[in-house]
Amino acid sequence: MKLRKALTITGLFFIILIVLGELLLPTVVESALESRLSQKFSTPHVDVELSALPRLMLLLGRTDSLSVTVKDGQVGQLRVHEMALSGRKAVLDMSSFTAGRLALEQAEALDLTAMFDENGLREALARKINKADNVEVHITDDNVLVTADTNLLGHKAQLSLVGHIVADDGTLYFDTDQFDIQNSPFGTARLGDSLGRIALVKPEQLPLKMRVVSVDQQEGSVIVRAGEE
């Protein structure tokens, strides 16, 4: 009789654990993922939604669907205004996760869309252009105009760059078409595309096997899409 009672209590205890796990586990895992991603992308504005049946599969890092939204986050050299990542059958690397890192072992139908604006690109280019002050960026459908001040041999000169955003071999670049210097000690100089390419986001800075596949320049912003390799 005592054994039957003990087994009944034990069974009820496990049923309660399973029910609580089904109810609370997604929220707990989502919260943990949001914390990891907030560190990774340097922003508190992260929202994660997971689904799995049964939900206890989340303990193994296995999901049926994954959706992540990031706002005002740092990706590579860029601070993106908003980014959305979705995928199916995603499997988290739990050993990395428990160590404070975030990595995917595998996933299906991964799709990432990000938008950055003139201010995000200005910050990235200001770090890349040596000795430049007062960097300004204007994005149009056709090109990107960058202006800045610099000091050449004690003279204040103005830099002017015309370029565009391009995806090449999975990497996102700012591609220089024309580079001019005005009011330098040597007068006005047209240096063509001598500044070359500036890498903004590389494949290794994106989730599992994702690469930048398309770029859409609009007035004041750029929409970037990345997909699986």
Side-chain angles (χ1 to χ4, degrees), residues 90-102:
V91 179
L92 299 173
D93 182 343
M94 296 306 288
S95 60
S96 296
F97 184 71
T98 55
R101 302 185 302 275
L102 184 62

Side-chain angles (χ1 to χ4, degrees), residues 2-206:
K2 290 183 178 180
L3 178 60
R4 181 181 297 176
K5 184 177 180 181
L7 290 174
T8 301
I9 293 173
T10 302
L12 288 173
F13 176 73
F14 279 110
I15 290 173
I16 292 171
L17 282 181
I18 291 172
V19 171
L20 288 176
E22 287 286 304
L23 294 174
L24 301 178
L25 189 58
T27 301
V28 172
V29 176
E30 287 169 355
S31 179
L33 280 173
E34 288 171 357
S35 177
R36 297 283 193 274
L37 291 172
S38 291
Q39 297 173 21
K40 179 178 178 63
F41 297 119
S42 302
T43 176
H45 307 297
V46 177
D47 182 65
V48 176
E49 293 184 8
L50 303 173
S51 70
L53 289 175
R55 293 186 177 184
L56 291 176
M57 293 299 290
L58 293 174
L59 284 175
L60 302 176
R62 297 181 177 274
T63 72
D64 293 328
S65 66
L66 166 70
S67 175
V68 178
T69 302
V70 178
K71 295 183 178 180
D72 192 31
Q74 188 75 27
V75 183
Q77 297 295 321
L78 281 172
R79 180 156 290 277
V80 298
H81 182 70
E82 186 168 354
M83 179 175 67
L85 170 70
S86 62
R88 301 194 307 267
K89 305 298 182 183
V91 179
L92 299 173
D93 182 343
M94 296 306 288
S95 60
S96 296
F97 184 71
T98 55
R101 302 185 302 275
L102 184 62
L104 291 175
E105 289 185 352
Q106 64 184 60
E108 298 177 4
L110 277 180
D111 185 77
L112 183 149
T113 302
M115 186 274 282
F116 64 91
D117 56 19
E118 293 171 337
N119 189 53
L121 183 57
R122 180 191 63 78
E123 291 180 2
L125 295 179
R127 291 192 295 268
K128 291 293 185 177
I129 303 174
N130 290 332
K131 300 179 181 179
D133 298 313
N134 303 320
V135 177
E136 298 292 339
V137 171
H138 179 54
I139 301 172
T140 71
D141 296 347
D142 299 320
N143 56 43
V144 178
L145 174 63
V146 183
T147 58
D149 296 330
T150 190
N151 191 297
L152 294 176
L153 301 178
H155 290 76
K156 186 176 181 179
Q158 288 75 47
L159 307 180
S160 176
L161 288 78
V162 178
H164 58 285
I165 307 299
V166 61
D168 187 13
D169 198 25
T171 298
L172 186 71
Y173 294 97
F174 173 78
D175 229 353
T176 306
D177 299 321
Q178 185 63 47
F179 179 26
D180 300 339
I181 302 178
Q182 298 177 335
N183 300 326
S184 75
F186 315 104
T188 298
R190 304 196 67 179
L191 304 177
D193 63 351
S194 61
L195 195 63
R197 282 185 163 182
I198 296 175
L200 300 173
V201 179
K202 300 178 181 179
E204 58 265 28
Q205 295 166 326
L206 296 174

